[in-house]
Amino acid sequence: MTTKELTYNDLDLNVKEIYDLMGYGDSRPDTEVVAEVDTMLADIRRWLRPRMSFFVTRDFEGFDVGRIISRQLERAEAYCFFICTAGEEYQEFMEQFMKPEEDTSGGACEDMFRAYLAHSIGSALVERCADKMEEVLQAQIDKLGWHRTNRFSPGYCGWHVMEQQKLFPLFKGETCGVSLTESSLMMPIKSVSGVIGLGKNVRYLPYTCGLCNYENCYKRKKR
């Protein structure tokens, strides 16, 4: 099991990733939005502690990942199960914007925007944490001459989200503080889990939305 705590600086977050998640694409946000993003990032960089946990195994029995993912993993010699999270601290940060006090000065509206902004930043943070996890993993498998597939998560590409209930016990408590609700929602919500195929004959596809029929995926919106 490999576990690691990161800092904001470790993530090398590009602010454009946040703007993409907010739907700006190639357009630049107005000055007020840029200022709010900069302010929020300056705040969280002082205390943010993203975390990762992963392990490699040759056992993939008992999972029903669906046809799309099975096809991508069929040549794998081993599998990396992972959990990454922006952290409990970030969950608490987001929650302060969820129930704004109503007033007559527009404060409620401002907090709704900040809640949306915190949500977008959180998505970017956990994606970068997962990217960093893959970098650590790649350094380990380079010694074996192995490659890796894309990462696949329950809830996407036909892999039912309830399969989280099979995945989490494999970590024997080393889940970076992430837990599951009865409906398999991860808490903190800015967390990601899943599997990566490993081996000499697997490959990483630069772009995989063509494999998946989930039209509401936030990654698809970045196209």
Side-chain angles (χ1 to χ4, degrees), residues 158-183:
W159 189 4
H160 201 284
V161 69
M162 291 300 291
E163 295 257 302
Q164 296 272 35
Q165 302 293 343
K166 300 177 183 177
L167 189 153
F168 266 61
L170 300 178
F171 285 82
K172 303 184 186 303
E174 298 290 332
T175 61
C176 306
V178 182
S179 60
L180 292 177
T181 66
E182 290 185 3
S183 61

Short mmCIF file of all heavy atoms in Angstrom, two decimals, residues 158-183:
data_model
loop_
_atom_site.label_atom_id
_atom_site.label_comp_id
_atom_site.label_asym_id
_atom_site.label_seq_id
_atom_site.Cartn_x
_atom_site.Cartn_y
_atom_site.Cartn_z
N GLY A 158 -20.18 2.51 -17.57
CA GLY A 158 -20.94 1.30 -17.34
C GLY A 158 -20.58 0.55 -16.07
O GLY A 158 -21.15 -0.52 -15.81
N TRP A 159 -19.65 1.07 -15.28
CA TRP A 159 -19.30 0.45 -14.01
C TRP A 159 -20.20 1.04 -12.93
O TRP A 159 -20.11 2.22 -12.62
CB TRP A 159 -17.83 0.71 -13.69
CG TRP A 159 -17.28 -0.06 -12.53
CD1 TRP A 159 -17.92 -1.01 -11.78
CD2 TRP A 159 -15.96 0.06 -11.97
NE1 TRP A 159 -17.09 -1.51 -10.81
CE2 TRP A 159 -15.88 -0.86 -10.90
CE3 TRP A 159 -14.86 0.85 -12.27
CZ2 TRP A 159 -14.73 -1.00 -10.13
CZ3 TRP A 159 -13.70 0.71 -11.51
CH2 TRP A 159 -13.64 -0.20 -10.46
N HIS A 160 -21.08 0.22 -12.36
CA HIS A 160 -22.09 0.72 -11.43
C HIS A 160 -21.44 1.28 -10.17
O HIS A 160 -20.51 0.70 -9.62
CB HIS A 160 -23.06 -0.41 -11.05
CG HIS A 160 -24.36 0.10 -10.51
ND1 HIS A 160 -24.50 0.61 -9.23
CD2 HIS A 160 -25.58 0.22 -11.09
CE1 HIS A 160 -25.74 1.00 -9.04
NE2 HIS A 160 -26.43 0.77 -10.14
N VAL A 161 -21.97 2.41 -9.72
CA VAL A 161 -21.39 3.10 -8.56
C VAL A 161 -21.45 2.25 -7.29
O VAL A 161 -20.61 2.38 -6.40
CB VAL A 161 -22.09 4.46 -8.35
CG1 VAL A 161 -23.52 4.26 -7.87
CG2 VAL A 161 -21.31 5.33 -7.37
N MET A 162 -22.42 1.33 -7.20
CA MET A 162 -22.52 0.49 -6.01
C MET A 162 -21.33 -0.46 -5.84
O MET A 162 -21.12 -1.02 -4.76
CB MET A 162 -23.82 -0.31 -6.03
CG MET A 162 -25.07 0.54 -5.85
SD MET A 162 -25.09 1.45 -4.27
CE MET A 162 -25.29 0.10 -3.10
N GLU A 163 -20.54 -0.63 -6.90
CA GLU A 163 -19.34 -1.47 -6.80
C GLU A 163 -18.28 -0.84 -5.90
O GLU A 163 -17.29 -1.48 -5.55
CB GLU A 163 -18.78 -1.74 -8.20
CG GLU A 163 -19.69 -2.57 -9.08
CD GLU A 163 -19.24 -4.01 -9.18
OE1 GLU A 163 -18.10 -4.24 -9.61
OE2 GLU A 163 -20.04 -4.91 -8.82
N GLN A 164 -18.50 0.42 -5.52
CA GLN A 164 -17.64 1.03 -4.50
C GLN A 164 -17.62 0.18 -3.23
O GLN A 164 -16.62 0.12 -2.51
CB GLN A 164 -18.16 2.43 -4.13
CG GLN A 164 -18.13 3.45 -5.24
CD GLN A 164 -16.80 4.19 -5.31
OE1 GLN A 164 -15.74 3.63 -5.05
NE2 GLN A 164 -16.86 5.46 -5.65
N GLN A 165 -18.75 -0.46 -2.95
CA GLN A 165 -18.87 -1.25 -1.72
C GLN A 165 -17.95 -2.47 -1.76
O GLN A 165 -17.61 -3.03 -0.70
CB GLN A 165 -20.33 -1.69 -1.52
CG GLN A 165 -21.33 -0.55 -1.45
CD GLN A 165 -21.16 0.33 -0.23
OE1 GLN A 165 -20.51 -0.05 0.75
NE2 GLN A 165 -21.74 1.53 -0.26
N LYS A 166 -17.54 -2.91 -2.92
CA LYS A 166 -16.57 -3.99 -3.06
C LYS A 166 -15.14 -3.46 -3.03
O LYS A 166 -14.22 -4.13 -2.56
CB LYS A 166 -16.78 -4.75 -4.37
CG LYS A 166 -18.13 -5.40 -4.53
CD LYS A 166 -18.23 -6.06 -5.90
CE LYS A 166 -19.61 -6.66 -6.14
NZ LYS A 166 -19.70 -7.24 -7.52
N LEU A 167 -14.96 -2.25 -3.55
CA LEU A 167 -13.63 -1.68 -3.70
C LEU A 167 -13.05 -1.20 -2.36
O LEU A 167 -11.88 -1.50 -2.04
CB LEU A 167 -13.69 -0.53 -4.72
CG LEU A 167 -12.40 0.10 -5.20
CD1 LEU A 167 -12.60 0.68 -6.60
CD2 LEU A 167 -11.90 1.20 -4.27
N PHE A 168 -13.83 -0.50 -1.59
CA PHE A 168 -13.30 0.13 -0.38
C PHE A 168 -12.75 -0.85 0.66
O PHE A 168 -11.71 -0.58 1.27
CB PHE A 168 -14.35 1.06 0.24
CG PHE A 168 -14.22 2.49 -0.20
CD1 PHE A 168 -14.35 2.83 -1.54
CD2 PHE A 168 -13.95 3.50 0.71
CE1 PHE A 168 -14.23 4.14 -1.97
CE2 PHE A 168 -13.82 4.82 0.31
CZ PHE A 168 -13.95 5.14 -1.04
N PRO A 169 -13.40 -2.00 0.90
CA PRO A 169 -12.85 -2.93 1.89
C PRO A 169 -11.45 -3.44 1.54
O PRO A 169 -10.70 -3.86 2.44
CB PRO A 169 -13.87 -4.08 1.89
CG PRO A 169 -15.14 -3.46 1.46
CD PRO A 169 -14.74 -2.44 0.45
N LEU A 170 -11.07 -3.39 0.27
CA LEU A 170 -9.75 -3.86 -0.14
C LEU A 170 -8.64 -3.01 0.45
O LEU A 170 -7.49 -3.46 0.55
CB LEU A 170 -9.64 -3.86 -1.67
CG LEU A 170 -10.64 -4.73 -2.44
CD1 LEU A 170 -10.42 -4.57 -3.93
CD2 LEU A 170 -10.52 -6.19 -2.03
N PHE A 171 -8.96 -1.78 0.86
CA PHE A 171 -7.95 -0.88 1.40
C PHE A 171 -7.68 -1.08 2.89
O PHE A 171 -6.78 -0.46 3.44
CB PHE A 171 -8.36 0.57 1.13
CG PHE A 171 -8.18 0.99 -0.30
CD1 PHE A 171 -9.13 0.67 -1.25
CD2 PHE A 171 -7.05 1.68 -0.69
CE1 PHE A 171 -8.95 1.04 -2.58
CE2 PHE A 171 -6.86 2.05 -2.01
CZ PHE A 171 -7.81 1.73 -2.96
N LYS A 172 -8.48 -1.94 3.51
CA LYS A 172 -8.27 -2.29 4.93
C LYS A 172 -8.12 -1.04 5.81
O LYS A 172 -7.24 -0.96 6.67
CB LYS A 172 -7.05 -3.20 5.08
CG LYS A 172 -7.16 -4.48 4.26
CD LYS A 172 -6.01 -5.41 4.50
CE LYS A 172 -6.06 -6.62 3.59
NZ LYS A 172 -7.29 -7.41 3.69
N GLY A 173 -8.96 -0.06 5.56
CA GLY A 173 -8.98 1.15 6.38
C GLY A 173 -8.07 2.26 5.88
O GLY A 173 -8.18 3.40 6.37
N GLU A 174 -7.19 2.00 4.93
CA GLU A 174 -6.27 3.03 4.42
C GLU A 174 -6.92 3.80 3.29
O GLU A 174 -6.47 3.78 2.14
CB GLU A 174 -4.97 2.36 3.95
CG GLU A 174 -4.20 1.64 5.02
CD GLU A 174 -3.57 2.61 6.01
OE1 GLU A 174 -3.27 3.75 5.62
OE2 GLU A 174 -3.37 2.21 7.17
N THR A 175 -8.02 4.50 3.60
CA THR A 175 -8.81 5.16 2.57
C THR A 175 -8.65 6.68 2.56
O THR A 175 -9.50 7.39 2.03
CB THR A 175 -10.30 4.81 2.75
OG1 THR A 175 -10.73 5.28 4.04
CG2 THR A 175 -10.55 3.32 2.62
N CYS A 176 -7.59 7.19 3.14
CA CYS A 176 -7.33 8.64 3.16
C CYS A 176 -8.43 9.42 3.86
O CYS A 176 -8.65 10.60 3.57
CB CYS A 176 -7.17 9.19 1.75
SG CYS A 176 -5.96 8.36 0.73
N GLY A 177 -9.16 8.77 4.76
CA GLY A 177 -10.25 9.44 5.45
C GLY A 177 -11.54 9.48 4.66
O GLY A 177 -12.52 10.09 5.10
N VAL A 178 -11.56 8.83 3.50
CA VAL A 178 -12.76 8.81 2.67
C VAL A 178 -13.65 7.65 3.11
O VAL A 178 -13.18 6.53 3.34
CB VAL A 178 -12.40 8.64 1.18
CG1 VAL A 178 -13.66 8.66 0.32
CG2 VAL A 178 -11.43 9.74 0.74
N SER A 179 -14.95 7.92 3.22
CA SER A 179 -15.92 6.89 3.58
C SER A 179 -17.03 6.86 2.55
O SER A 179 -17.15 7.76 1.71
CB SER A 179 -16.48 7.14 4.98
OG SER A 179 -17.13 8.40 5.03
N LEU A 180 -17.87 5.83 2.63
CA LEU A 180 -18.98 5.68 1.71
C LEU A 180 -20.31 5.82 2.45
O LEU A 180 -20.47 5.31 3.55
CB LEU A 180 -18.95 4.31 1.03
CG LEU A 180 -17.81 4.02 0.06
CD1 LEU A 180 -17.93 2.59 -0.45
CD2 LEU A 180 -17.81 5.00 -1.10
N THR A 181 -21.27 6.48 1.80
CA THR A 181 -22.63 6.47 2.30
C THR A 181 -23.30 5.18 1.83
O THR A 181 -22.73 4.41 1.05
CB THR A 181 -23.41 7.67 1.76
OG1 THR A 181 -23.56 7.54 0.34
CG2 THR A 181 -22.69 8.98 2.07
N GLU A 182 -24.52 4.93 2.28
CA GLU A 182 -25.23 3.73 1.86
C GLU A 182 -25.46 3.71 0.36
O GLU A 182 -25.53 2.63 -0.25
CB GLU A 182 -26.58 3.64 2.59
CG GLU A 182 -26.45 3.33 4.08
CD GLU A 182 -27.79 3.12 4.74
OE1 GLU A 182 -28.82 3.17 4.02
OE2 GLU A 182 -27.81 2.92 5.97
N SER A 183 -25.57 4.88 -0.25
CA SER A 183 -25.77 4.96 -1.70
C SER A 183 -24.45 5.00 -2.47
O SER A 183 -24.43 5.27 -3.67
CB SER A 183 -26.62 6.19 -2.04
OG SER A 183 -25.97 7.38 -1.62
#
